[in-house]
Amino acid sequence: MSVSIQDAKVPTFANFVIGGISGVVAQMATHPLDVLKIRMQVSRKTLRNAALQTYGMNGARSFYVGLSAGLLRQLTYTTSRLGIYNTLLDIGEQHFGYLNYVTMISLGMLAGIMGSFIGCPTDLIFIRMVADINLPAEKRNNYKNVINGMSDVRKIEGFTALWNGAVPTMSRAAIVNGAQLGTYSRAKVMLQDTGYIQNGIPLQFAAALISSLITCFVSMPVDVAKTRIQNWRQSRKAPNIIAMIVNIIKMEGLIALWSGFLPSYIRATPNTIITMIPSRTVVYVACLTRPADRPL
């Protein structure tokens, strides 16, 4: 192999395709945990009670409510954020070599903000489909699928309503992606420097475990506030993200900002692994299969 795996780069378009595919696979694998996390955040139930309530609605199928919205969210949000981040990271490393931690976090935050704005409508519908269970039957949205939900919001609330909660969504995405993508990239460098783990799946796996823990902890307060805002049902306008966080602390205590932490963390680890490993695996396969005299 004349070109190392680390030096090899995938084409720009592949960064987006791989990001979307890996996001869909991750969503399929972790969707039930996403459902439980959201229901804990809007109802303040324990994990056990949220799971029993969900199962009681329609059996195991209830854990996959909102799947169409979750998948479309991955095809918009994850495709954009991972494609943009990997492209910017490749460009930066080509011109400057290894980037420092602050730069990696900044690139992750930028990619997250851009991706979350694109995916905000699907995220809104996803939250509402999952949270419907906590409303009286006569007040539920009863969206049949993500397309039906987006159509209803556009007709009843207006087109711009699809971006309700866009600011907290983008704020959360900046934190999540800065922590996840930046920490993942930095963790790989640190693990390589130890000499115990080099390139390959074990390195990517270990880096994903580290980044998922940090990501979950720092993003949960904003995530809880975002979910409450997007599921806001009162006649008065929903408070902004800062006001919502302050209100949660006053009414429920500081610990409430980490509602749903356990399912979120259990979800975050495999989600990060499934999402982050495929792109570098493609590089690995490309290096092994391409002719020696053909540049990657």
Side-chain angles (χ1 to χ4, degrees), residues 3 12 14 25 30 57 64 114 129 170 184 214 228 257 262 272 296:
V3 178
T12 298
V25 173
T30 63
M57 291 296 295
Y64 281 88
M114 296 172 69
M129 290 180 74
M170 293 164 70
Y184 174 81
I214 296 173
R228 298 279 184 92
L257 292 175
L262 183 57
T272 301
L296 187 67

Side-chain angles (χ1 to χ4, degrees), residues 46-281:
T46 64
L47 177 58
R48 178 179 180 276
N49 289 339
L52 289 174
Q53 181 193 36
T54 300
Y55 185 80
M57 291 296 295
N58 199 19
R61 288 193 302 172
S62 297
F63 289 96
Y64 281 88
V65 65
L67 181 60
S68 63
L71 294 178
L72 187 56
R73 181 181 63 171
Q74 296 300 329
L75 289 173
T76 52
Y77 168 57
T78 303
T79 296
S80 301
R81 75 179 180 102
L82 289 185
I84 292 170
Y85 176 75
N86 285 325
T87 299
L88 293 176
L89 188 64
D90 285 347
I91 292 173
E93 290 181 343
Q94 287 173 3
H95 288 85
F96 306 107
Y98 271 128
L99 303 178
N100 60 41
Y101 191 30
V102 173
T103 302
M104 290 176 179
I105 289 178
S106 299
L107 292 179
M109 293 177 72
L110 177 61
I113 290 171
M114 296 172 69
S116 64
F117 181 80
I118 295 171
C120 188
T122 57
D123 191 48
L124 175 74
I125 302 304
F126 178 59
I127 296 295
R128 291 187 177 184
M129 290 180 74
V130 174
D132 246 8
I133 192 175
N134 296 305
L135 294 174
E138 67 276 8
K139 293 185 178 181
R140 292 176 184 171
N141 293 297
N142 294 320
Y143 299 144
K144 296 178 181 178
N145 51 56
V146 62
I147 301 301
N148 172 251
M150 293 173 67
S151 177
D152 275 11
V153 171
R154 182 184 62 81
K155 292 177 181 177
I156 299 172
E157 303 174 47
F159 180 74
T160 57
L162 289 169
W163 276 267
N164 282 346
V167 172
T169 299
M170 293 164 70
S171 300
R172 174 191 176 274
I175 296 172
V176 167
N177 286 274
Q180 183 192 56
L181 302 181
T183 301
Y184 174 81
S185 299
R186 180 59 180 171
K188 287 203 302 180
V189 175
M190 293 176 62
L191 290 169
Q192 285 177 313
D193 289 343
T194 65
Y196 292 107
I197 306 178
Q198 296 302 315
N199 290 316
I201 300 299
L203 173 66
Q204 299 164 37
F205 187 88
L209 288 175
I210 295 171
S211 68
S212 63
L213 176 61
I214 296 173
T215 299
C216 186
F217 181 78
V218 302
S219 66
M220 280 301 296
V222 177
D223 191 34
V224 171
K226 177 191 79 72
T227 299
R228 298 279 184 92
I229 291 172
Q230 289 185 308
N231 194 50
W232 189 258
R233 307 289 177 144
Q234 300 181 32
S235 57
R236 61 188 178 89
K237 185 179 179 181
N240 60 44
I241 188 168
I242 301 300
M244 179 62 79
I245 289 175
V246 171
N247 184 63
I248 291 173
I249 294 174
K250 287 182 177 179
M251 301 298 295
E252 305 169 44
L254 182 64
I255 196 67
L257 292 175
W258 280 269
S259 296
F261 178 84
L262 183 57
S264 182
Y265 175 64
I266 296 173
R267 172 190 178 275
T269 300
N271 188 278
T272 301
I273 293 169
I274 295 170
T275 300
M276 299 303 294
I277 284 180
S279 62
R280 298 311 170 192
T281 302

